[in-house]
Amino acid sequence: MKDKIKQLAEEINSRILSNREELEKFRIEFLSKKGLIPVLFTLFKDVPPEHRKEIGQMINELKLRAQEIINEAKTALESDQQEEASATDLTRPGLEFQLGARHPISIVKNKIIDIFARIGYTVSEGPEIEDDWHNFSALNFPKDHPARDMQDTFFIEKDPEILLRTHTSSVQVRVMENTRPPIRTISPGRVFRNEAISARSHCIFHQVEGLYVDKGVSFADLKQTLYYFAKELLGENTKIRFRPSFFPFTEPSAEMDVSCNICKGEGCNVCKYTGWLEILGCGMVDPQVLDNCGIDSNTYTGLAFGMGIERVAMMLYQIKDIRLYFENDLRFLKQFGSIV
Ligand code: DAH
């Protein structure tokens, strides 16, 4: 019996308890009801009386020692945990949070919306998939008229003709069909043309359309509105000039140039040494278009204008290649300021 006790004492002293599982295993093996130490107590009844005092003492000591080992291991494990917790350095700076930046097209679109909002223009939108009526016919592009060739169209369906809108002028028609004058609205959106992609043209791009219909709207209003717009967008000293042009839905029609803000009119390679940059098309809404949309052209007149956002952004930021807008190269996109 004495040998057995000594052997157990050696064993418990040699155990290493480095985690909670080992500790629990130790407790069950030596101290639980059927553990090795309680078993010694049951064997104790067979010990002859003259050895009982000594052996009883040895078993008790063994039990105390086992408990002591468990307690020591517990304390050690707890302090390890505390140390681990206090190893977290709360003063360390956090990981840098990467904020995105707005796309230059969105920045310029928002600028344009903001400038026109200040003189009472609302924003209206229309579908990108259009029918022939809203994209062409209502805007005075007769069937088989060469004016349709100005805009290479992606057709989706032949009969009836469904297509990807080639310009945001289609939204003009929808607005005039659904609202009564006075109408003062701009329509930003994506447009599609079946064109070869190059530094200067793309098959997907963005336009902003403008429309003002009321009694007595005149060409003077058109000039004044666009003059205000050019100065707000490009600066106080910006000059504008109008050149006669043709669009089926406006009469008279014009194209507007702004003075080149890079060379200040001196001539540079951006304005091709003319001192002027073409920025938009405009005109007085053709009376036939008003009538097509259910607005009486004897009572009302209207002005309209349309511009490409990519083009305006190229001018503002001196971007030389339209393809950059669509490549999602972060080195390009990060240059236009953060989202906030
Ligand atoms: N829709 C024309 C285009 O895509 C731009 C345009 C020109 C819009 C004259 C207008 C306008 O509203 O009056 O080329």
Side-chain angles (χ1 to χ4, degrees):
M1 185 89 178
K2 271 193 196 168
D3 287 344
K4 203 171 168 66
I5 296 171
K6 276 188 192 147
Q7 197 195 328
L8 272 180
E10 259 170 44
E11 192 163 342
I12 61 172
N13 281 321
S14 69
R15 286 286 176 96
I16 298 161
L17 306 179
S18 52
N19 59 45
R20 295 204 172 269
E21 288 90 74
E22 283 172 4
L23 199 136
E24 182 60 6
K25 229 168 96 185
F26 179 92
R27 190 191 63 78
I28 292 168
E29 195 179 338
F30 294 101
L31 291 170
S32 68
K33 254 189 197 162
K34 287 183 184 158
L36 294 171
I37 295 171
V39 166
L40 288 178
F41 282 107
T42 39
L43 296 176
F44 182 72
K45 62 182 184 303
D46 301 329
V47 172
E50 64 272 26
H51 292 126
R52 282 197 165 192
K53 192 173 170 211
E54 190 191 359
I55 290 186
Q57 222 170 12
M58 282 175 80
I59 301 177
N60 270 331
E61 273 167 16
L62 184 69
K63 187 180 167 188
L64 287 175
R65 178 66 194 137
Q67 256 157 3
E68 203 176 70
I69 287 173
I70 289 184
N71 290 341
E72 278 169 8
K74 261 192 190 160
T75 331
L77 280 175
E78 271 159 22
S79 78
D80 270 4
Q81 254 178 2
Q82 268 166 7
E83 229 168 76
E84 230 171 75
S86 63
T88 312
D89 179 0
L90 299 176
T91 63
R92 275 175 65 185
L95 292 177
E96 195 189 343
F97 188 72
Q98 291 264 346
L99 264 191
R102 278 208 201 285
H103 195 280
I105 295 298
S106 297
I107 296 176
V108 173
K109 180 184 84 175
N110 291 340
K111 263 189 212 279
I112 297 171
I113 292 176
D114 190 53
I115 291 171
F116 282 104
R118 276 182 257 146
I119 53 170
Y121 280 72
T122 58
V123 173
S124 41
E125 287 182 348
E128 292 177 348
I129 297 175
E130 263 299 4
D131 49 34
D132 176 89
W133 171 256
H134 292 95
N135 197 79
F136 289 127
S137 296
L139 290 165
N140 259 356
F141 289 82
K143 278 249 179 292
D144 307 318
H145 191 281
R148 289 201 184 199
D149 298 343
M150 285 163 71
Q151 305 186 353
D152 294 317
T153 311
F154 285 116
F155 288 98
I156 294 178
E157 239 176 71
K158 218 46 223 130
D159 195 19
E161 273 181 2
I162 305 293
L163 43 88
L164 295 180
R165 67 178 176 197
T166 58
H167 54 179
T168 43
S169 301
S170 56
V171 187
Q172 266 194 39
V173 178
R174 290 187 175 272
V175 172
M176 287 195 282
E177 281 174 339
N178 296 316
T179 5
R180 294 302 91 197
I183 296 168
R184 225 186 262 128
T185 192
I186 55 169
S187 316
R190 263 200 307 189
V191 300
F192 308 84
R193 289 189 198 178
N194 193 0
E195 269 177 32
I197 296 171
S198 70
R200 298 201 62 82
S201 66
H202 209 283
C203 56
I204 303 177
F205 56 101
H206 299 75
Q207 288 187 332
V208 177
E209 184 80 11
L211 177 72
Y212 174 26
V213 182
D214 203 353
K215 287 177 186 157
V217 175
S218 69
F219 202 89
D221 293 316
L222 177 66
K223 281 179 98 172
Q224 208 50 50
T225 304
L226 294 177
Y227 186 39
Y228 154 80
F229 167 67
K231 287 211 290 192
E232 291 295 308
L233 185 75
L234 300 164
E236 192 58 35
N237 298 323
T238 309
K239 292 191 205 62
I240 59 170
R241 88 177 175 188
F242 288 82
R243 281 176 291 107
S245 185
F246 170 77
F247 300 102
F249 40 91
T250 42
E251 183 58 38
S253 304
E255 269 165 302
M256 185 176 102
D257 299 337
V258 290
S259 51
C260 179
N261 63 342
I262 297 161
C263 62
K264 310 280 173 239
E266 298 278 304
C268 65
N269 61 356
V270 177
C271 63
K272 302 205 190 81
Y273 299 95
T274 61
W276 296 96
L277 294 162
E278 184 195 321
I279 183 172
L280 53 78
C282 60
M284 299 305 293
V285 182
D286 192 303
Q288 183 61 49
V289 174
L290 293 174
D291 291 332
N292 288 345
C293 302
I295 291 176
D296 181 4
S297 60
N298 291 317
T299 316
Y300 294 104
T301 49
L303 63 83
F305 53 89
M307 67 191 105
I309 304 182
E310 279 78 0
R311 205 187 165 74
V312 175
M314 280 170 117
M315 198 181 287
L316 279 179
Y317 299 123
Q318 291 163 44
I319 297 164
K320 299 235 161 65
D321 192 322
I322 198 169
R323 289 169 291 198
L324 286 166
Y325 295 120
F326 305 102
E327 281 168 359
N328 285 337
D329 185 334
L330 289 178
R331 289 167 304 178
F332 171 72
L333 295 174
K334 275 183 175 167
Q335 297 175 54
F336 301 94
S338 87
I339 201 131
V340 279

